[in-house]
């Protein structure tokens, strides 16, 4: 049941973050500031979630995964329950600005992060991909170029486990990506200018 508690912490923290952005309490202009403020709110929500004096909580930003160039996790946290068992959650974040002009590559990067989260079963019992943007191309664009159309997480789209996604732009060296889980992509109105997608990701070893 403690995986459900981890999920509940994330599902409470993320809307609070965007409420604070909308209200002007926190300025967020980059992925780094989004990460920092999310970490702060997760710590607060986790404290409210704990009921036993023996429960503990720890959070890391940019946690190294180690082994074979696996990189770092944007947000990782651990809840230790009263019986000493540890429950862990991994999160990847993306914050895409319309001005960046890198939309097709960013869609590929998002799917790559989801694939990384799926492989984090050795360090996480559950995972989440959080994408925030002020660019409607990611959310509800009428159609992508056939060269990059595989990388599609617009609102209401679905991905079937095992489907290979290939970046076909001439000269591109971006690797194909295949995910292990089924997904349905749902975007939420967050602020007057931002929308976000909070995607649960089942982790595997």
């Amino acid at each position: 049941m403690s995986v459900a508690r981890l999920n509940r912490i994330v599902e409470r923290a993320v809307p609070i973050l965007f409420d604070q952005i909308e209200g002007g309490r926190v300025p967020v202009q980059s992925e780094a500031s989004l990460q920092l403020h999310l970490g702060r709110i997760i710590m607060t929500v986790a404290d409210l979630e704990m009921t036993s004096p023996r429960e503990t909580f720890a959070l890391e930003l940019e946690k190294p995964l180690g082994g074979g160039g696996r990189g770092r996790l944007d947000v990782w946290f651990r809840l230790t329950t009263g019986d000493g068992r540890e429950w862990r959650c991994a999160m990847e974040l993306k914050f895409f600005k319309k001005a960046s002009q890198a939309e097709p590559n960013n869609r590929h990067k998002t799917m790559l992060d989801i694939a990384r989260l799926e492989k984090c079963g050795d360090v996480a019992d559950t995972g989440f991909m959080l994408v925030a943007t002020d660019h409607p191309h990611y959310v509800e664009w009428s159609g992508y170029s056939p060269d990059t159309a595989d990388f599609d997480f617009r609102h209401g789209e679905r991905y079937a486990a095992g489907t290979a996604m290939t970046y076909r732009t001439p000269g591109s060296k971006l690797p194909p990506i295949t995910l292990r889980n089924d997904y349905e992509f749902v975007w939420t109105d967050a602020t007057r200018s931002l929308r976000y997608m909070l995607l649960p990701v089942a982790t595997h070893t």
Side-chain angles (χ1 to χ4, degrees):
M1 289 297 294
S2 286
V3 168
R5 296 177 69 189
L6 299 179
N7 294 345
R8 190 159 60 240
I9 289 169
V10 174
E11 290 163 358
R12 291 179 65 188
V14 170
I16 293 171
L17 169 64
F18 286 99
D19 283 347
Q20 291 192 348
I21 295 170
E22 173 69 359
R25 180 173 176 81
V26 297
V28 172
Q29 296 297 328
S30 68
E31 188 174 303
S33 56
L34 189 76
Q35 178 191 50
L36 178 65
H37 288 297
L38 178 60
R40 170 182 59 83
I41 295 169
I42 285 174
M43 289 285 292
T44 301
V45 172
D47 185 64
L48 297 174
E49 178 70 28
M50 291 186 291
T51 56
S52 165
R54 297 180 60 191
E55 290 182 317
T56 62
F57 185 82
L59 181 142
E60 293 183 42
L61 304 181
E62 299 297 329
K63 177 182 176 63
L65 280 171
R70 295 171 67 196
R72 298 171 181 266
L73 290 169
D74 289 331
V75 178
W76 178 89
F77 62 88
R78 178 185 67 233
L79 173 65
T80 304
T81 51
D83 58 4
R85 183 163 181 184
E86 295 183 348
W87 300 88
R88 308 152 302 167
C89 179
M91 296 186 70
E92 287 290 296
L93 278 58
K94 286 285 184 278
F95 185 52
F96 298 137
K97 301 296 291 288
K98 188 174 182 179
S100 73
Q101 300 294 318
E103 176 242 308
N105 279 9
N106 287 340
R107 288 189 278 115
H108 180 276
K109 289 177 182 178
T110 299
M111 293 299 192
L112 198 60
D113 274 356
I114 295 171
R116 289 178 65 245
L117 282 171
E118 288 186 337
K119 298 173 184 175
C120 286
D122 58 327
V123 297
D125 303 294
T126 188
F128 285 89
M129 181 78 223
L130 174 62
V131 185
T133 186
D134 63 355
H135 195 345
H137 277 207
Y138 297 102
V139 183
E140 53 193 4
W141 193 238
S142 58
Y144 297 132
S145 161
D147 291 340
T148 64
D150 287 359
F151 303 91
D152 185 357
F153 46 81
R154 290 171 297 170
H155 181 72
E157 293 296 323
R158 296 172 181 266
Y159 172 86
T163 304
M165 295 175 284
T166 304
Y167 203 94
R168 299 179 179 85
T169 300
S172 172
K173 297 182 180 179
L174 295 176
I177 299 172
T178 301
L179 304 180
R180 296 181 62 173
N181 305 321
D182 294 327
Y183 294 100
E184 180 179 1
F185 304 109
V186 178
W187 287 80
T188 300
D189 291 323
T191 74
R192 285 166 289 183
S193 61
L194 291 177
R195 295 186 70 178
Y196 74 83
M197 175 179 68
L198 181 63
L199 183 72
V201 178
T203 60
H204 304 270
T205 54

